[in-house]
Amino acid sequence: MQTSSPSVLRSLMQQYEIYPKKRWGQNFLIDGNILENIALSSGANPDLYTVEIGPGLGALTQLLAKKSRGVLAIDIDKSLERPLQQVLAPYHNVQLHFADILDVDLEAELVQRFDLAQVPEYVVCANIPYNITSPIIFQLLENCPHMQKATLMMQKEVAERIIAQPGSKDYGLLTLMTHYYADTRWLMKVSRNCFYPRPEVDSAVIQFTPLPQPRLQVQNEEVFKAFLRSAFQMRRKTILNSSSLFFQVNKTQAQQQLETIGIKPNQRPEELSLEQLAGLVNQFLGGRSNAVY
Ligand code: SAH
């Protein structure tokens, strides 16, 4: 069923007496070309399973079902169950699961739903609810070790933060943390006119390819992440101030440490690359017990 057609979508909603819910970011894609393009770029193929987050009324799900070995589609909105079952009736390789994605152990769910002996190879493909974009990205990058790729549509401004370069206004925690775990690629911009109802913002699709291991080695990952959070919360402070505050050393000592690794004390965190920031944390931790933090 062509749920990417606005008239089909509207009559389906009428039939089941459902309406798009803003709190769950329900903006359904109604552009067949964009949907085709996303499904095509996702890497879904008959050897792989696909996880879709937020299937909505199944426009993307149908395309993924045609390409994949099996699709696990997880949506929070139980009222979509009956219309989704109708839309997906021709596809016998789709498993629907109604839950909050942030509470689901994706890999365990895949194993259970498809009755597998072990976690299969899979990709994620989704037009995700925009209000939980960052938590979803971190859930995928931190807790889904077998995921091969994630192709995610999100608000355009968030996508721009992910692919930002050091020194630009968009560069920050999200850029660094995604770069730590994955290669990121901008696939396409998607106009707000491609959705029903029409949202207030434009969108873009980003593809994440997780690295086998994080991009670089840090002495203590928790301290590294905490330092990045702290430095970017005060992004107008110099790196001298934020590092001396965070590591609780005086400014002369902090300056020496920074100079040792070639960072100018008056630089701002957003001018530094992931490698430089990791080098900084390793330098300040040098010789100390990690347990101190
Ligand atoms: N993929 C569909 C719908 C996208 S709208 C399309 O492109 O047309 C976003 C979808 O995410 C909605 O169906 C909404 O119910 C679902 N959603 C919102 N919050 C969620 C959460 N926490 N967990 C799982 N699904 C969620």
Side-chain angles (χ1 to χ4, degrees):
M1 187 189 289
Q2 271 286 349
T3 47
S4 58
S5 140
S7 57
V8 174
L9 193 67
R10 267 193 292 266
S11 69
L12 195 68
M13 289 197 286
Q14 247 169 20
Q15 184 190 340
Y16 288 95
E17 296 180 334
I18 51 176
Y19 56 93
K21 298 179 193 74
K22 211 172 172 165
R23 73 174 180 287
W24 285 333
Q26 292 182 352
N27 300 99
F28 303 112
L29 261 170
I30 50 168
D31 184 307
N33 288 331
I34 299 274
L35 281 158
E36 228 3 291
N37 221 329
I38 296 174
L40 206 59
S41 328
S42 69
N45 74 58
D47 293 330
L48 293 181
Y49 289 85
T50 300
V51 174
E52 187 189 7
I53 302 162
L57 287 165
L60 183 59
T61 324
Q62 299 177 71
L63 302 179
L64 295 172
K66 282 187 209 159
K67 296 188 195 301
S68 313
R69 176 137 185 213
V71 177
L72 171 63
I74 301 165
D75 206 292
I76 199 168
D77 186 356
K78 185 91 173 140
S79 74
L80 300 175
E81 184 169 16
R82 284 168 51 241
L84 256 183
Q85 274 169 350
Q86 181 187 333
V87 169
L88 298 173
Y91 307 95
H92 301 291
N93 60 346
V94 180
Q95 289 283 331
L96 296 176
H97 182 49
F98 289 91
D100 184 334
I101 183 66
L102 299 178
D103 296 334
V104 177
D105 178 342
L106 284 189
E107 300 194 343
E109 200 64 38
L110 265 174
V111 167
Q112 201 200 327
R113 289 295 177 131
F114 289 98
D115 201 14
L116 304 168
Q118 58 187 42
V119 181
E121 298 197 318
Y122 68 99
V123 296
V124 172
C125 182
N127 168 19
I128 57 180
Y130 291 2
N131 58 337
I132 50 170
T133 300
S134 293
I136 289 178
I137 292 174
F138 288 113
Q139 179 183 8
L140 297 177
L141 296 180
E142 291 178 338
N143 303 331
C144 296
H146 294 86
M147 178 179 79
Q148 297 206 333
K149 269 185 200 316
T151 306
L152 305 179
M153 174 132 81
M154 61 193 74
Q155 183 175 337
K156 181 168 148 276
E157 287 72 17
V158 179
E160 283 165 348
R161 281 164 48 203
I162 290 171
I163 56 149
Q165 293 299 317
S168 72
K169 70 169 175 25
D170 291 328
Y171 184 75
L173 198 57
L174 191 60
T175 325
L176 287 158
M177 289 315 301
T178 52
H179 188 60
Y180 179 62
Y181 288 113
D183 286 330
T184 55
R185 194 156 73 95
W186 175 283
L187 290 187
M188 66 190 103
K189 183 191 151 184
V190 181
S191 154
R192 66 192 74 185
N193 297 323
C194 300
F195 299 85
Y196 174 82
R198 198 177 98 134
E200 302 286 307
V201 295
D202 289 319
S203 297
V205 182
I206 296 280
Q207 187 161 73
F208 300 86
T209 308
L211 304 166
Q213 267 132 38
R215 191 170 300 277
L216 36 81
Q217 273 207 322
V218 285
Q219 267 189 42
N220 181 323
E221 197 171 78
E222 288 315 307
V223 175
F224 175 58
K225 290 180 183 173
F227 175 70
L228 292 187
R229 274 196 298 275
S230 142
F232 281 91
Q233 257 159 28
M234 16 181 211
R235 55 192 286 149
R236 311 199 47 188
K237 277 199 165 59
T238 61
I239 198 70
L240 175 67
N241 282 335
S242 44
S243 53
S244 82
L245 260 172
F246 182 84
F247 292 102
Q248 296 177 7
V249 297
N250 68 40
K251 289 199 183 161
T252 317
Q253 285 170 316
Q255 178 153 358
Q256 276 169 3
Q257 304 271 38
L258 291 173
E259 281 168 358
T260 313
I261 50 171
I263 293 177
K264 295 193 199 79
N266 63 353
Q267 285 188 285
R268 314 270 161 190
E270 72 250 34
E271 294 168 330
L272 301 174
S273 66
L274 180 71
E275 289 73 11
Q276 285 175 305
L277 289 159
L280 181 157
V281 173
N282 286 345
Q283 174 70 25
F284 276 81
L285 286 182
R288 291 200 204 194
S289 154
N290 292 341
V292 170
Y293 297 94

